[in-house]
Each structure stands twice: as structure tokens, then as C-alpha cells.
């Protein structure tokens, strides 16, 4: 309660230090000042930019106006001229105008007029376009009607005044200046309708505009379509041409901002940091003052809390206090005694303390006698039965009572530790038992064996059985850990049921159990026990809707023969178990000394193989399969070899069985499959590749998924892959194998039954399973020539296979005679040393190349 109160109070701000307020105020002012300065700066920049816009517009307007004025003046010098009037009115004198260069090419080359025309209302009488005299109509070049222009000029009061228009000249904006051609002498006033009109066209090209802009301090004066004008851009429109004149804005305001803001920002940052540093320092000092107040207050609170706590502990204490005299009779018991033990103190006063308390390691009187005056109280664990008869434990502490330098009695406390002892016992139990099954674990087994073998030869004979479950891992993997746990619990129960009270059943971990049989002398007895045990474990285990089948292999060591060292017994049983497993599971095996070497060798090989799988120490050899006439290769079988670091190239028989007994078959097979597909991709054409699958793969992994993954990852077409499966696959799990093979077929691969005739399978199997072909085992082919009976068997298999629509291959063809017989028996395909031995990747690539070259020269 106190603690809670303290916490709440410390959360409430009791002091609101002035320094913090000051920091807030000055910080606020600082931020405000910065804001005002930034706003002012932006205002100035905006005004500067607005001024720039106005100036830009003004000068653009000025530039174009002045160009027009200049053009007007210039045209007047041509039109208000008697000689011109005489040569241009009526029919134009081209010789005078163009050839004599009075109104010819120089108007373009020197004065920059793209068009010079003499027109009247009806026609164009004279035309010079870009300095060239042309017979052309001015209307064809300009995007404006000329009649209204002529009418306007001829109708105006001052005939000498020129007119100006904007138009598109050949698609690009231009200034058109036009004026009536008049004599400037004293002749009587000419009739306006009869006069010709001179037209100058000044196209506003980029070059001209840039030069014009430069004269007025405008950067990049140019034309922009009205539809493409940026909003707010100052532009001088050129009437109906759809274009406006614009030049680049200098934007002095923005320049100012860009040049001022970074240094200003930097300066503000430094200022802010300095201010922050200063106020931090000030704050720390202020906090120290606050803290001193706080700590004072906390000390007071701690004191109060400690008193409270003491009282609470005192009330809750389970200790009781006792005193005895020199004879060990109880002279005093505190009030708590009654509460804890259920007795009244009067029942015990005057009684010997050893009647009440019991210590299993020493008599209490002896222990008390060892205590000295100087010694601080020491503890002894005692037990007693309380009023209700329940066994309780207490920790007793004692000191001698000294009177006139003599010990006249003892005094001490007794603390109840019943719960502590129970918890300790629980921990002990856990450390010696398996948490899942409750069976003794490895520690307990070790202790048990230590005790049981202590008497060595005099001890009763011990038989140690190492039990390993077959088929447990797939259950755990496929149905999950709850299923695995259920199986282990059931197995533990069955093991208990099979054993007697004096035997021990322990779980070492995973699916490994140990049974220690005590006093069983004869092998026949042990055999009978093993038979019963395996039989019991073979019974299906029901889990949810599943009926799970497991089995067990047992390795046996016997103390009379393998000695009385627990570790050695376990080791021997383990070796025997290894042997039992390699003998085909669901069996038991006694340890024999020669197993040591075998096991050693196997273990070494297994560890080498494990490393080989990791480091891909394998290579594939390839053996082609031919049509029975021996001409065409129809498929190529991939056969694995192990490039052993010390033993050289090992054939599959040396390591596939071992890989099958361990989980190594799965990664090895996947490597073979991938390597075969990748190699086959490099061959020309669509040659089929054949890969052997092991029955063990069907049990240990999801073959369909493995094949699918490799096909997808290598992009090898399934139709070029053939899988060779032996009959043994079907022996283990008929339904499961059928299901898997159907799923494999659905991937699009071919299935061949390998080594046909060696297993138990009848031809009937072939009907049920989705095979595409069979390979007659090489043993039949080898004996074909010796015995007519074997020849007949081969013939029968060929005929039957063909009748079922299967491709029939004969393996192991070693002679021309065999090939001949198979040809006359109309076997489909053949494979064997006679045609080609298995060869490595490079040699096979050469073989393919040679055949290709041969077939080309042949054709
Ligand atoms: P298999 O699938 O029946 O392969 C044919 C075996 O017969 C090969 O032996 C091959 O070299 C041999 N052979 C071929 N033609 C002749 C011949 O004319 N005369 C004689 N005497 N033998 C011939 P290899 O390569 O030693 O393979 C033995 C077995 O190992 C294979 O029998 C196959 O079951 C297994 N195997 C090979 N590679 C793999 C693999 O990658 N995975 C699996 N699971 N098993 C494989
Ligand atoms: Mg094969
Ligand atoms: Mg074969």
C-alpha cells in the first residue's frame, strides 16, 4: 500500500521549477522571432519576384512596339517615293524592282524581311520570298485575308500612314507592315483605288527575337503557344496568331531566398544549440535542487514502508520459538507453535524435544551439544508429524542459554519448510524423469545401473535392452508433435505393461527407450521377452482418426558377458541395436564382439557419406538404352557414383543401402534427380533421362513434392523424365505406394518397373499400378543362353508386358547372342555392356556428338 502511494506521489509534479517556465518562455520567443524573420524574408522575396514580372512584361511590350515603329518608318521610305510609284503602279517593272535591287534580295539579306509583296485588291503583282523573286500569291503564304487590309489603307484619310498586323507567315508568327505606294512630288493627288500596296513581312524567328531581347535586357525572348503558357507568366499576345512573346524571368526573390536561407538556417541551428546547451545546464542545476527535496521525502517514505513491512512479516511468519532445559525437556513454546502444528503448547511442555522433532542425519541432542556460545545460530532440517498426522518439515536453529558461564539449556526457532521440501522433491523428480512420459530418464538410468552393478559379480544378472522405434519420425513429421507425443505415451505404457516391478523402463530421448531386466539369466527367456515386446509395440496405436503403425528394433547387452560398467553396457546395447536395424528392423540382436569392428566401419562410412552429401562428392554416369536393333538411343539411365576421397570411385551398391538406412537417401536422391535433369538439358534433342528411385525415399520423404520441385526449378519437361522404381516399393505399403505412383504419373513423368522378376511382385501388380514399362532384371538375361527354361521366362515376360501395353526393356545385355535372341523375341528395348557401359558426363556427350556426326554423313 505504501509502495503504491509512493509511486503515485512521485508521479505528481510537486514543484514546477521556474527554470522550466523560463526555458519555455525564452524558447517560445526564440521560435516566434525566427518565424517572423522567415515570414518577412519570404515577403521581400515575393515582392522582388512580382517587380521582376512587371518589368519583364513592360520591356517585352516595348521591344515589340519599337520593332513595329521601325518597320513602319522603313516601309514609308519605300512607299512614299515617286520612282517606286512609277515602277510599281500598274504592271510592276521587275527589272527595276528585283534585278536593279531597288526592292529585291537585300530586303531579306540586310533588313530581314522574309516576304516583300506588291499587291492590289485582286492580285499579287510582285513577290520576293526570302530574297527570291517568285510568281506567287501573297495569300498563299499568309494566314490573313488581304482585301480588308488594302481597303483599309486605300480608304484612310492619310494615305501615307502604314498599317500593321500580326499573322502567321508560313505557319510562324510575323509582323506584317503594309502601306500604299504614292508619289512624293507635287503632282495632283492620285486616286486611292488605283494605287498598289507594298507589304513587308517580318517573321519573328528565334534569332531575331533573341537579338531583340538582348537590346532590352530580356533573357531568351521567344514565342510560346498561348495554350502552353505557364500560369502567371508575363506574356505579350500577338493577336489572333495564337502565340505570345515571353522571356525568362530572373526571379530575384527566389535567388535571394536560396542564397540567404542556408547560412541563416545554419546560424539559427548554432544559436538554438547554444541556447539548448545553456538551458540544459540551468535545468540540471534546477533538477538537482528538486532531487534533493525528492530524496529527503523518499527517505521518510522508505522508513515508513519498512516499518509496515516488518509488521506484515512478523504477522505472517510461520516460525515458532522454543526453549529447552539442560535435559532436553521443552520449557517454552511460542504462540505460533499451536497455529503451525495444530497442537496446544501444554501438550508438549515438559516433554523431550526429540519426541517432537526428528532428524534423519543426527540425534538432536548431539547436534545441540556441538553448539558453542560464540557460534551464530546454525540450522538443522527436522521432521515431525502435526496434529493431523501429516509429515511436516522444519528448519531448526538453536543457541545455548548461558547462565554463569554454564550451558543451562537451548533456545531457538523452528521455521516450517514443508512446501520448500516438497518443491525440492519435485525438482529432484524432474531431473530424474522424462517430462513427457514420466519414465526415468538418462540420469535416473545411470544411478540405477550404478546401484545395481555395484556388487559386480555378486549382483543379479542385468539385461539392458536398447529399444528404438521404427517409423516414428514420419508420424511425427506428417501428423505433428501432438501425434508424436501420443505415440510416445502409448509406447511408454506398453513398455511398463510388459515389464515387472523389479525392471526399469527409461526414455533416453526421442524415440529411444531402455529396458533393464533384472535377474533374467537365459537367452530363451530374453528372446521370449523381446518377442512379446515387439509384438506389443506392433499393435496399431489409435490417434484421433488414425491408426498408426510403428515397430521396434532392440539391441541387447548382458552384464554377465559385457561386464559391470554401466557406460559400457549402454554402448554395447547401442551397437547391437545398430546391427538389429541394419538387419531389417523389427528384430532384436545380442551384442557380439565382432560387431565392434563392423559398426566402427559402418559408422565411419556413414559419417563419410554424410559429409559427401553435404559436399556433393557424387557424380553421375550415364548408360543409354537402345531400340532392340541397337540403332537408336531411346533413353539414358543416370547411375550415381561416389567419388570417395580415399577409396576412389564407389558404385551405388557400396553406399545406397547405407543411405537408405539413414535419412541420407533423401538429399542424395534429390541431388541425383536435379543433376540428371540439368545434364539432360544440355543434350541435343529431346532425349529421355531415367532416374532410379529408392523405396526408402517413399517412406522418408514426399517423393512427389521432391520431383515436382526439381522439375520446376530446373525447368526440365516432365515428359522427358522417367523414374525407375523396384517392386519393393509396393511391398512395404501397397496402398500408399499406389497413391504416390498415381500422383507421380500426374506430374507427367514416365514410370518404369526396375529389376522386374527379382522381387515378390506378381504380374498382377502391374495391372494395378500406373507403370509405362518394365525392365527385365539382368539375371534372367545372363542365364537366358544357358537354360531354355530362363529363355522361356524371358519370352513370357516380354509377351505379357506387351499384352499390357508396357514397353519391355531387357537389362544387362552383354553379348551379341543375347541381343539376337531378344530381337527375335521382339523385346522393345535393350540396355547393357554390349551396347554401352555406363560412362561419365563428358564421354556421354561425345558419344551423342559422334552419333550425330555419323547420322549426318549417313544421310
Ligand atoms: P539398376 O537400376 O538396375 O541399374 C543397372 C545396373 O546394372 C547398373 O549398376 C549398371 O552399371 C549395371 N549394368 C548395366 N549393364 C550391364 C551389363 O551388361 N552387365 C552387368 N553385369 N551389369 C550391367 P550400378 O550402376 O552399379 O547400379 C546398381 C544399382 O544401384 C542400380 O541398379 C540401381 O538400383 C542403384 N542405383 C544406381 N544409381 C542410383 C541412384 O541414383 N539412386 C538410387 N536410389 N539407386 C541407384
Ligand atoms: Mg535402374
Ligand atoms: Mg535394374
Amino acid at each position: 500500500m505504501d509502495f503504491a502511494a509512493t509511486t503515485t506521489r512521485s508521479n505528481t509534479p510537486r514543484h514546477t521549477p521556474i527554470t522550466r517556465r523560463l526555458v519555455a518562455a525564452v524558447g517560445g520567443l526564440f521560435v516566434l522571432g525566427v518565424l517572423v524573420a522567415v515570414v518577412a524574408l519570404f515577403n521581400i522575396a515575393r515582392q522582388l519576384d512580382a517587380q521582376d514580372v512587371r518589368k519583364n512584361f513592360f520591356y517585352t511590350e516595348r521591344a515589340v512596339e519599337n520593332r513595329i515603329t521601325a518597320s513602319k518608318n522603313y516601309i514609308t521610305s519605300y512607299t512614299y517615293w515617286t520612282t517606286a510609284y512609277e515602277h510599281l503602279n500598274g504592271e510592276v517593272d521587275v527589272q527595276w524592282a528585283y534585278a536593279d535591287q531597288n526592292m529585291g534580295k537585300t530586303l531579306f539579306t540586310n533588313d530581314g524581311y522574309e516576304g516583300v509583296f506588291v499587291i492590289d485588291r485582286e492580285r499579287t503583282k510582285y513577290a520576293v520570298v526570302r530574297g527570291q523573286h517568285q510568281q506567287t500569291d501573297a495569300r498563299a503564304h499568309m494566314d490573313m485575308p488581304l482585301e480588308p487590309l488594302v481597303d483599309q489603307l486605300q480608304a484612310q484619310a492619310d494615305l501615307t500612314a502604314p498599317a500593321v498586323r500580326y499573322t502567321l507567315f508560313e505557319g510562324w508568327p510575323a509582323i506584317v507592315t503594309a502601306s500604299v505606294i504614292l508619289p512624293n512630288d507635287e503632282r495632283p493627288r492620285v486616286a486611292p483605288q488605283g494605287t498598289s500596296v507594298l507589304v513587308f513581312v517580318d517573321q519573328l524567328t528565334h534569332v531575331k527575337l533573341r537579338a531583340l531581347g538582348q537590346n532590352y535586357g530580356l533573357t531568351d525572348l521567344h514565342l510560346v503557344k498561348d495554350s502552353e503558357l505557364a500560369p502567371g507568366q508575363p506574356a505579350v499576345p500577338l493577336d489572333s496568331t495564337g502565340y505570345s512573346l515571353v522571356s525568362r524571368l530572373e526571379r530575384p526573390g527566389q535567388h535571394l531566398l536560396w542564397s540567404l536561407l542556408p547560412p541563416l538556417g545554419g546560424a539559427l541551428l548554432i544559436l538554438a544549440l547554444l541556447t539548448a546547451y545553456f538551458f540544459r545546464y540551468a535545468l540540471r542545476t534546477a533538477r538537482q535542487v528538486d532531487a534533493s527535496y525528492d530524496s529527503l521525502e523518499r527517505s521518510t517514505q522508505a522508513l515508513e514502508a519498512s516499518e509496515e513491512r516488518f509488521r506484515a512479516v512478523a504477522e505472517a511468519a510461520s516460525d515458532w520459538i522454543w526453549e529447552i532445559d539442560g535435559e532436553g525437556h521443552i520449557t517454552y513454546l511460542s504462540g505460533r507453535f499451536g497455529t503451525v502444528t495444530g497442537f496446544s503448547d501444554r501438550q508438549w511442555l515438559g516433554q523431550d524435544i526429540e519426541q517432537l522433532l526428528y532428524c534423519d542425519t543426527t540425534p538432536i541432542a548431539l547436534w545441540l551439544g556441538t553448539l558453542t556460545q560464540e557460534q551464530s545460530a546454525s540450522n538443522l532440517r527436522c521432521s515431525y508429524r502435526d496434529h493431523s498426522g501429516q509429515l511436516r518439515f522444519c528448519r531448526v536453529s538453536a543457541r545455548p542459554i548461558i547462565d554463569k558461564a554454564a550451558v543451562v539449556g537451548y533456545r531457538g526457532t523452528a521455521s516450517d519448510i514443508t512446501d520448500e521440501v516438497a518443491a525440492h522433491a519435485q525438482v529432484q523428480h524432474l531431473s530424474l524423469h522424462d517430462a513427457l512420459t514420466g519414465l526415468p530418464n538418462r540420469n535416473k538410468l545411470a544411478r540405477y545401473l550404478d546401484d545395481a552393478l555395484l556388487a559386480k559379480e555378486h549382483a543379479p544378472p542385468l539385461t539392458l535392452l536398447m529399444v528404438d522405434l521404427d517409423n516414428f519420425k514420419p508420424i511425427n513429421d506428417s501428423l505433428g508433435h501432438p501425434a508424436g507425443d501420443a505415440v510416445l505415451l502409448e509406447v511408454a505404457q506398453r513398455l511398463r505393461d510388459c515389464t515387472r516391478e523389479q525392471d526399469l523402463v527409461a526414455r533416453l530421448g526421442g524415440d529411444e527407450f531402455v529396458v533393464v531386466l533384472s535377474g533374467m539369466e537365459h537367452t530363451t527367456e530374453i528372446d521370449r521377452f523381446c518377442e512379446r515386446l515387439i509384438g506389443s509395440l506392433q499393435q496399431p496405436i489409435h490417434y484421433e482418426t488414425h491408426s498408426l503403425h510403428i515397430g521396434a528394433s532392440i539391441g541387447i547387452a548382458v552384464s554377465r558377458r559385457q561386464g559391470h560398467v554401466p557406460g559400457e553396457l549402454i554402448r554395447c546395447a547401442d551397437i547391437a541395436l545398430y546391427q538389429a536395424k541394419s538387419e531389417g528392423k523389427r528384430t532384436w540382436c545380442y551384442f557380439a564382439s565382432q560387431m565392434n569392428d563392423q559398426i566402427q566401419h559402418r559408422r565411419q562410412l556413414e559419417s563419410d557419406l554424410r559429409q559427401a552429401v553435404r559436399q556433393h562428392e557424387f557424380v553421375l554416369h550415364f548408360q543409354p538404352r537402345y531400340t532392340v536393333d541397337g540403332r537408336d538411343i531411346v533413353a539414358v539411365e543416370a547411375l550415381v557414383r561416389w567419388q570417395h576421397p580415399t577409396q576412389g570411385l564407389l558404385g551405388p551398391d557400396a553406399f545406397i543401402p547405407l543411405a537408405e538406412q539413414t535419412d541420407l537417401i533423401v538429399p542424395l536422391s534429390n541431388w541425383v534427380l536435379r543433376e540428371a535433369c540439368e545434364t539432360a538439358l544440355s543434350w541435343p534433342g529431346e532425349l529421355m533421362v531415367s532416374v532410379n528411385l529408392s523405396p526408402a525415399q517413399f517412406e522418408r520423404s514426399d517423393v512427389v513434392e521432391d520431383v515436382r520441385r526439381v522439375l520446376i526449378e530446373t525447368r526440365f519437361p516432365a515428359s522427358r523424365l522417367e523414374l525407375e522404381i523396384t517392386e519393393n516399393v509396393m511391398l512395404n505399403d501397397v496402398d500408399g505406394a499406389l497413391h504416390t505412383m498415381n500422383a507421380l504419373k500426374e506430374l507427367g513423368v514416365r514410370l518404369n518397373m526396375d529389376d522386374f522378376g527379382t522381387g515378390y511382385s506378381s504380374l498382377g501388380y502391374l495391372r494395378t499400378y500406373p507403370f509405362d514399362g518394365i525392365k527385365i532384371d539382368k539375371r534372367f538375361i545372363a542365364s537366358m543362353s544357358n537354360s531354355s527354361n530362363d529363355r522361356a521366362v524371358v519370352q513370357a515376360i516380354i509377351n505379357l508386358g506387351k499384352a499390357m501395353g508396357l514397353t519391355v526393356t531387357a537389362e544387362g545385355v552383354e553379348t551379341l547372342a543375347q541381343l539376337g535372341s531378344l530381337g527375335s523375341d521382339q523385346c522393345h528395348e535393350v540396355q547393357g555392356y554390349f551396347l554401352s557401359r555406363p560412362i561419365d558426363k563428358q564421354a556421354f556427350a561425345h558419344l551423342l556428338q559422334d552419333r550425330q556426326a555419323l547420322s549426318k554423313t549417313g544421310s
Side-chain angles (χ1 to χ4, degrees), residues 9 53 164 237 281 287 296 309 317 342 370 373 584 653 670 744 852:
R9 229 177 294 151
V53 168
V164 172
Y281 177 76
R287 265 196 219 114
L296 196 65
R309 242 176 262 132
T370 60
Q373 198 180 346
D653 294 341
N670 285 335
L744 282 173
Q852 253 192 340

Side-chain angles (χ1 to χ4, degrees), residues 462-503:
L462 276 194
T463 312
L464 194 142
L465 292 87
M466 187 76 77
V467 183
D468 188 271
L469 302 184
D470 306 328
N471 213 21
F472 173 71
K473 198 171 172 299
I475 292 177
N476 214 19
D477 291 348
S478 59
L479 296 179
H481 289 296
D485 288 354
V487 168
L488 292 172
L489 279 170
E490 180 60 26
V491 167
Q493 190 51 47
R494 291 185 189 179
L495 290 176
R496 277 195 208 103
D497 292 347
C498 288
T499 47
R500 305 156 302 169
E501 194 151 334
Q502 65 266 38
D503 303 328

Side-chain angles (χ1 to χ4, degrees), residues 289-309:
V289 175
D290 288 352
S292 59
Y293 279 115
D294 274 352
S295 79
L296 196 65
E297 194 161 311
R298 267 203 301 275
S299 314
T300 322
Q301 282 163 2
L303 204 63
E304 285 167 10
S306 138
E307 274 170 24
E308 282 277 341
R309 242 176 262 132

Side-chain angles (χ1 to χ4, degrees), residues 818-856:
Q818 288 167 347
L819 187 64
S821 311
L822 290 162
S824 49
D825 291 344
Q826 295 185 319
C827 183
H828 292 123
E829 294 168 5
V830 282
Q831 188 178 12
Y833 292 169
F834 182 70
L835 296 140
S836 168
R837 282 179 174 268
I839 47 181
D840 68 19
K841 193 162 144 179
Q842 284 79 15
F844 184 68
H846 284 143
L847 185 141
L848 284 181
Q849 271 171 12
D850 293 349
R851 287 181 68 86
Q852 253 192 340
L854 215 65
S855 74
K856 271 195 200 132

Side-chain angles (χ1 to χ4, degrees), residues 644-712:
H644 193 282
T646 53
Q647 297 174 30
L649 200 64
L650 298 181
D653 294 341
F655 60 92
I656 290 276
L658 182 60
E660 284 175 334
Q661 281 159 30
T662 58
D663 49 357
L664 291 171
I665 190 66
V666 177
L668 172 60
S669 306
N670 285 335
W671 179 86
V672 170
L673 194 60
R674 182 179 298 271
E675 176 73 9
C677 291
E678 280 171 358
T679 310
L681 279 175
S682 67
W683 297 334
E686 299 286 294
L687 204 52
M688 172 98 64
V689 71
S690 212
V691 175
N692 292 286
L693 288 190
S694 152
Q697 266 174 279
F698 282 66
E699 283 172 27
R700 290 174 193 270
S701 85
D702 186 344
V703 185
V704 184
E705 195 43 48
D706 291 347
V707 175
R708 184 204 309 278
R709 195 173 334 109
V710 170
L711 285 173
I712 291 172

Side-chain angles (χ1 to χ4, degrees), residues 637 692 724 754-756 775-778 811:
E637 181 171 9
N692 292 286
E724 296 193 5
D754 204 356
D755 303 345
F756 185 80
K775 296 180 84 175
I776 308 174
D777 190 68
K778 51 181 173 280
E811 286 188 310

